[in-house]
Amino acid sequence: MDPVKAARRGEQAIPNPGGQMGKPVVFPFMESMLPKVVKRRVHALKRLQEQCAHIEAKFYEEVHELERKYATLYQPLFDKRREIVTGAVEPTDEECEWPTDEDEEEELAEEVKEKATIEDAKKEEAKPEEDPKGIPDFWLTIFKSVDMLSDMVQEHDEPILKHLRDIQVKFSEPGQPMSFTLEFHFEPNGYFNNAVLTKVYKMKSEPDASDPFSFEGPEIIDCEGCQIDWHKGKDVTVKTIKKKQKHKGRGTVRTVTKQVPNDSFFNFFNPVKASPDGEMDEDSEFNLATDFEIGHFFRERIVPRAVLYFTGEALEDESFEEEEMEEGDEEEQDEEGDEDDEEGDTDPKA
């Protein structure tokens, strides 16, 4: 499976899908061996299959419209989430009610009792602390907890991401080419003037004329970032280095400074562009595939389930899924090993 195509659909690339490891795919050869009259009928089935692919494409277009429709229903809840996170509103006692495990409550009660005496003794000496506003570092905590995002976040990015107020997903309007936009909303800060940084992912939901049977749903075909209006000396996507240059004739030495690219999460808004002819070097292709995968992850996981990534519950769910897959793989390998053992135990004299 093409890793870029897999990422475009938000999937992981899996080699030789549907096949068996080490066994070549022989379907074209199989078709060439068919009698001419049977091959003619197979061609008729392929035409039907191509028509199915076009119907499937229409299905996904309607799914996109449904996503856009329901996004407007989710948005008031996400707006309330933003207000709580930023401290714009304080949730009521009723809104804060959430069932907890009874054992955890009992354990917590015991701990509270043990610490009560110590805390009471320190109350007079301790200075009163201000209640934190909203939920501090909400989005930064998420970014640092998710492996896919933490790899992008550098130490110099963290003070900037503390100013991130919200992330929103916007879907293209009816009649417009299929796309979705990630909007990163920032409070006023000392790093750049933009209130919102955007990343647009352009999509396609139609079978490829040259390979209609490869269609498996909408795929990202390109993405477009935005210009960040950095304050002077605050651009973390570049760094200044000093180099000494020696004059060949006079032998004098001078020091020059130049700016070079710097690793930063904010390079996310200056993505690799997809090549119109599809010809890209290996590094660019990998970076593009990774970018598509991250954009899909923001849309499908991070934005809808942000609080669960903040608490780590979503991460636990994902780790369980990975463990189940690994166990399943091990079982399959064991079964294959058992078959090999059985073959090895066969008496050659029989």
Side-chain angles (χ1 to χ4, degrees), residues 145 147 297 301 305 309 312-327:
S145 300
D147 289 342
F297 194 77
R301 301 289 189 90
R305 309 180 70 204
Y309 282 97
E313 291 165 87
L315 299 173
E316 291 177 6
D317 291 344
E318 288 175 4
S319 65
F320 277 125
E321 288 175 9
E322 290 176 5
E323 285 175 10
E324 286 173 5
M325 288 176 65
E326 288 173 3
E327 287 174 4

Side-chain angles (χ1 to χ4, degrees), residues 339-350:
E339 290 175 5
D340 293 340
D341 290 342
E342 288 173 6
E343 291 175 4
D345 293 340
T346 303
D347 187 352
K349 296 180 182 178

Side-chain angles (χ1 to χ4, degrees), residues 17 122 137 176 199-200 231 238 265 274 308 326 331 342 344:
K122 291 181 178 180
D137 302 341
Q176 294 182 345
K199 184 77 169 282
V200 180
H231 291 176
V238 295
F265 166 77
L308 301 182
E326 288 173 3
E331 287 174 6
E342 288 173 6

Side-chain angles (χ1 to χ4, degrees), residues 118-181:
I118 300 173
E119 293 298 326
D120 287 340
K122 291 181 178 180
K123 271 185 180 179
E124 293 182 2
E125 298 177 9
K127 294 180 180 179
E129 294 182 3
E130 287 187 14
D131 287 337
K133 184 180 179 182
I135 303 178
D137 302 341
F138 180 78
W139 293 104
L140 175 59
T141 300
I142 293 171
F143 280 34
K144 293 174 70 175
S145 300
V146 177
D147 289 342
M148 188 184 296
L149 303 181
S150 65
D151 291 342
M152 302 166 63
V153 177
Q154 308 300 315
E155 189 174 348
H156 49 254
D157 294 324
E158 294 184 19
I160 310 175
L161 290 172
K162 287 176 178 286
H163 296 284
L164 182 57
R165 301 171 66 246
D166 197 18
I167 305 175
Q168 297 181 12
V169 180
K170 303 291 185 182
F171 293 92
S172 53
E173 294 295 325
Q176 294 182 345
M178 186 183 291
S179 69
F180 68 90
T181 302

Side-chain angles (χ1 to χ4, degrees), residues 291-311:
D291 193 307
F292 290 170
E293 188 177 358
I294 291 168
H296 190 273
F297 194 77
F298 268 117
R299 167 187 160 173
E300 296 292 329
R301 301 289 189 90
I302 298 295
V303 174
R305 309 180 70 204
V307 66
L308 301 182
Y309 282 97
F310 178 78
T311 62

Side-chain angles (χ1 to χ4, degrees), residues 9 20 72 80 82 90 100 156 221 226 266-267 280:
R9 293 189 295 268
Q20 294 182 6
T72 61
K80 186 65 177 286
R82 182 193 67 243
E90 184 63 33
T100 57
H156 49 254
I221 55 174
C226 67
F266 292 90
N267 289 322
M280 301 180 72

Side-chain angles (χ1 to χ4, degrees), residues 123-305:
K123 271 185 180 179
E124 293 182 2
E125 298 177 9
K127 294 180 180 179
E129 294 182 3
E130 287 187 14
D131 287 337
K133 184 180 179 182
I135 303 178
D137 302 341
F138 180 78
W139 293 104
L140 175 59
T141 300
I142 293 171
F143 280 34
K144 293 174 70 175
S145 300
V146 177
D147 289 342
M148 188 184 296
L149 303 181
S150 65
D151 291 342
M152 302 166 63
V153 177
Q154 308 300 315
E155 189 174 348
H156 49 254
D157 294 324
E158 294 184 19
I160 310 175
L161 290 172
K162 287 176 178 286
H163 296 284
L164 182 57
R165 301 171 66 246
D166 197 18
I167 305 175
Q168 297 181 12
V169 180
K170 303 291 185 182
F171 293 92
S172 53
E173 294 295 325
Q176 294 182 345
M178 186 183 291
S179 69
F180 68 90
T181 302
L182 299 176
E183 294 183 350
F184 294 74
H185 294 251
F186 286 83
E187 63 188 11
N189 60 80
Y191 297 92
F192 48 73
N193 293 317
N194 312 62
V196 182
L197 300 181
T198 59
K199 184 77 169 282
V200 180
Y201 287 89
K202 301 173 183 178
M203 305 178 71
K204 178 181 79 169
S205 181
E206 59 184 42
D208 190 326
S210 62
D211 187 15
F213 305 134
S214 67
F215 180 74
E216 294 182 13
E219 62 180 21
I220 298 171
I221 55 174
D222 200 3
C223 58
E224 192 173 297
C226 67
Q227 185 73 33
I228 302 179
D229 184 15
W230 293 99
H231 291 176
K232 187 176 180 179
K234 297 294 185 179
D235 186 351
V236 295
T237 65
V238 295
K239 60 183 176 182
T240 302
I241 61 171
K242 293 182 179 181
K243 293 184 69 176
K244 290 185 178 181
Q245 293 181 341
K246 186 175 182 180
H247 193 279
K248 290 183 179 178
R250 295 191 297 269
T252 56
V253 177
R254 67 173 183 175
T255 301
V256 297
T257 60
K258 64 181 290 189
Q259 285 191 331
V260 296
N262 192 29
D263 289 340
S264 169
F265 166 77
F266 292 90
N267 289 322
F268 180 67
F269 300 97
N270 184 27
V272 174
K273 297 295 293 179
S275 174
D277 58 7
E279 293 295 325
M280 301 180 72
D281 60 66
E282 190 174 332
D283 287 344
S284 297
E285 189 172 88
F286 175 80
N287 290 336
L288 190 66
T290 302
D291 193 307
F292 290 170
E293 188 177 358
I294 291 168
H296 190 273
F297 194 77
F298 268 117
R299 167 187 160 173
E300 296 292 329
R301 301 289 189 90
I302 298 295
V303 174
R305 309 180 70 204

Side-chain angles (χ1 to χ4, degrees), residues 26-36 39 43:
V26 294
F27 303 118
F29 175 73
M30 186 184 298
E31 184 178 335
S32 68
M33 296 295 289
L34 294 172
K36 188 174 181 179
K39 190 187 299 184
H43 291 170

